Amino acid sequence: MKIELIIRGKETIEESLSELVRSELMDGDNKINCDVCNEKKATTRATCFDELPNAFIIHLKRFDLDFETFETVKLNNRLSFPVNLNMYKFTRYAREAI
């Protein structure tokens, strides 16, 4: 399993993971078509982990687009990470417990 994490404006791996699993309200032009009633409805979309593997790769997205020059730039900001990473708060089970 490989996880791609956006690091722009982030200081820790946990911040980046929290951004990855953050809920998003799909409303207005982004409404989702309901399969049951066949109408567009506002809904919440979220990403989380169902099962975690014994090992996974964290890919830091260190290249980003500069919207002023439309060039690719390398991000050299510091990103700290713990020796042991507790992934429970990023799982489906943690979301259901809320």
Side-chain angles (χ1 to χ4, degrees), residues 7-64:
I7 63 165
R8 176 171 274 201
K10 309 292 185 276
E11 295 182 11
T12 65
I13 289 286
E14 288 92 346
E15 280 183 60
S16 190
L17 282 167
S18 294
E19 181 72 20
L20 178 71
V21 300
R22 182 178 54 91
S23 297
E24 177 184 0
L25 178 62
M26 306 294 283
D27 198 10
D29 291 338
N30 293 331
K31 286 183 180 179
I32 302 296
N33 193 28
C34 178
D35 293 337
V36 177
C37 64
N38 205 22
E39 292 181 15
K40 291 207 173 232
K41 302 253 180 170
T43 189
T44 303
R45 185 185 103 175
T47 302
C48 61
F49 299 97
D50 189 29
E51 290 185 29
L52 293 170
N54 290 331
F56 61 89
I57 298 168
I58 295 177
H59 172 215
L60 303 178
K61 296 178 81 175
R62 291 208 171 267
F63 290 92
D64 204 3

Side-chain angles (χ1 to χ4, degrees), residues 5 11-17 58 78-87 89-90:
L5 295 180
E11 295 182 11
T12 65
I13 289 286
E14 288 92 346
E15 280 183 60
S16 190
L17 282 167
I58 295 177
R78 179 179 169 81
L79 189 75
S80 65
F81 55 92
V83 174
N84 295 315
L85 182 60
N86 184 357
M87 291 291 292
K89 59 186 168 187
F90 309 113

